[in-house]
Amino acid sequence: MSSPEIASLSWGQMKVKGCSTTYKDCKVWPGGSRTWDWRETGTNHSPGVQPADLEEVIKKGVKTVVIGRGMSEALQVPASTVDYLKKNGIDVLVLQTEKAVAEYNALAARGVKVGGVFHSTC
């Protein structure tokens, strides 16, 4: 199963190919996507992305995770979260969201089992 292409990104809106939903923040993995609801894990801009935000994505068997920190990179990614991924044998890229989406799409197009979490505002 391949990772779906992120079809479009603009401030506060993301569309994933093959999905009718418009996301503000989203999680993607091989074969699917859904809204990334920060309230589920108590995530805020600081301290930022927690391992709990990524568990669902890594359970899908991804080899690489791309984290989009927002258009102005306001969303933090603590070293403990990066360490969590590396300890699970997963490559991680932490980038500004536009760059993260471009990198994610490039990896997906090459057939890499890639997942991601993306913040589309600040």
Side-chain angles (χ1 to χ4, degrees):
M1 200 167 303
S2 61
S3 299
E5 176 188 348
I6 296 173
S8 67
L9 167 68
S10 59
W11 184 274
Q13 295 189 336
M14 297 182 71
K15 301 233 5 122
V16 175
K17 193 171 186 174
C19 179
S20 61
T21 304
T22 298
Y23 301 114
K24 176 177 170 260
D25 299 320
C26 74
K27 296 182 179 190
V28 290
W29 58 81
S33 65
R34 79 170 182 93
T35 294
W36 178 18
D37 184 348
W38 292 13
R39 292 171 296 191
E40 293 172 359
T41 56
T43 294
N44 287 297
H45 286 100
S46 181
V49 183
Q50 306 301 303
D53 293 311
L54 301 165
E55 285 175 0
E56 177 180 18
V57 174
I58 67 171
K59 284 179 182 172
K60 305 294 183 179
V62 299
K63 302 295 179 215
T64 303
V65 168
V66 181
I67 300 173
R69 294 189 49 211
M71 300 300 215
S72 304
E73 298 184 87
L75 179 61
Q76 301 301 303
V77 181
S80 57
T81 298
V82 173
D83 291 344
Y84 165 78
L85 290 166
K86 289 181 177 177
K87 284 178 184 161
N88 281 283
I90 297 167
D91 294 327
V92 58
L93 297 166
V94 178
L95 301 163
Q96 184 267 358
T97 296
E98 290 161 310
K99 292 175 182 158
V101 165
E103 189 64 32
Y104 166 89
N105 279 342
L107 290 165
R110 292 201 316 258
V112 174
K113 288 190 80 167
V114 61
V117 294
F118 301 96
H119 179 45
S120 74
T121 58
C122 45

